[in-house]
């Protein structure tokens, strides 16, 4: 009787242990699959194509629109943002965000003044994005630029 009981006890514990291993084998990857995207911080390095080098007017900041897919967890949102590209020689490019560093309004290039102007609080930035006047606390954000063939691409953290 005692042998039967201990054998039954041992068998039931072995069955439970095997069942636990099988459940862990299927369950852990399934949970990881479901949870992993939500735990990502959404930051990823990407090169975003913005347009052709032929569109850049020599010596004048030229506005491009960039479409950026930002993924957070299971949700992907497409944002459109503006990038001013400047070159004086057709080889070296400077890319500047058109978002004012004060409160996020859009700056625009004013050819006559040779500066960027933010209409919200009269912020003024130089051609290279340095603060010249007004409340902006820091220069316009700049991005790394590369040229692939004739395609301009800016480096973006999404
Ligand atoms: S948001 Fe541009 S100066 Fe305030």
């Amino acid at each position: 009787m005692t042998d039967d009981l201990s054998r039954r006890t041992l068998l039931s514990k072995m069955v439970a242990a095997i069942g636990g291993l099988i459940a862990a084998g299927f369950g852990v990857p399934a949970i990881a699959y479901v949870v992993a995207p939500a735990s990502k911080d959404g930051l990823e390095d990407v090169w975003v194509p913005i347009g052709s080098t032929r569109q850049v007017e020599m010596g004048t900041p030229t506005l491009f629109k960039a479409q950026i897919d930002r993924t957070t967890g299971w949700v992907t949102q497409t944002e459109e943002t503006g990038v001013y590209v400047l070159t004086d020689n057709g080889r070296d490019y400077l890319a500047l965000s058109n978002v004012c560093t004060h409160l996020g309004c859009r700056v625009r290039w004013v050819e006559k003044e040779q500066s960027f102007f933010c209409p919200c609080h009269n912020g003024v930035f130089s051609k290279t994005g340095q603060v010249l006047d007004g409340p902006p606390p820091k220069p316009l954000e700049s991005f790394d630029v590369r040229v692939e063939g004739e395609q301009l691409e800016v480096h973006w953290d999404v």
Side-chain angles (χ1 to χ4, degrees):
M1 182 97 165
T2 319
D3 273 353
D4 262 2
L5 264 180
S6 66
R7 202 174 296 145
R8 276 193 192 148
T9 306
L10 177 67
L11 275 174
S12 68
K13 286 185 178 179
M14 284 175 59
V15 168
I18 291 169
L21 286 173
I22 291 171
F26 285 106
V28 169
I31 290 169
Y33 176 76
V34 171
V35 171
S39 65
K40 285 185 182 171
D41 61 5
L43 295 177
E44 216 177 287
D45 286 347
V46 293
W47 287 94
V48 179
I50 57 171
S52 168
T53 53
R54 291 185 199 189
Q55 297 170 266
V56 183
E57 209 176 311
M58 201 69 71
T60 300
T62 307
L63 184 61
F64 288 85
K65 297 286 182 197
Q67 299 250 323
I68 300 177
D69 289 333
R70 193 179 298 272
T71 302
T72 307
W74 293 100
V75 180
T76 298
Q77 292 177 314
T78 300
E79 294 174 18
E80 189 174 277
T81 189
V83 178
Y84 276 100
V85 176
L86 173 67
T87 184
D88 288 323
N89 57 20
R91 291 184 308 277
D92 306 311
Y93 291 90
L94 174 67
L96 297 171
S97 168
N98 73 340
V99 177
C100 180
T101 55
H102 180 221
L103 293 176
C105 292
R106 306 294 173 180
V107 301
R108 67 170 191 272
W109 174 248
V110 181
E111 183 68 26
K112 196 175 82 181
E113 306 291 333
Q114 289 291 295
S115 60
F116 291 100
F117 177 70
C118 178
C120 290
H121 311 98
N122 300 329
V124 181
F125 299 87
S126 73
K127 200 181 214 180
T128 58
Q130 301 305 307
V131 178
L132 297 177
D133 201 5
K138 57 185 183 178
L140 293 173
E141 185 181 1
S142 64
F143 306 104
D144 289 336
V145 187
R146 73 180 183 190
V147 178
E148 294 288 315
E150 287 186 353
Q151 183 70 47
L152 281 166
E153 296 180 350
V154 292
H155 187 246
W156 211 274
D157 292 332
V158 291

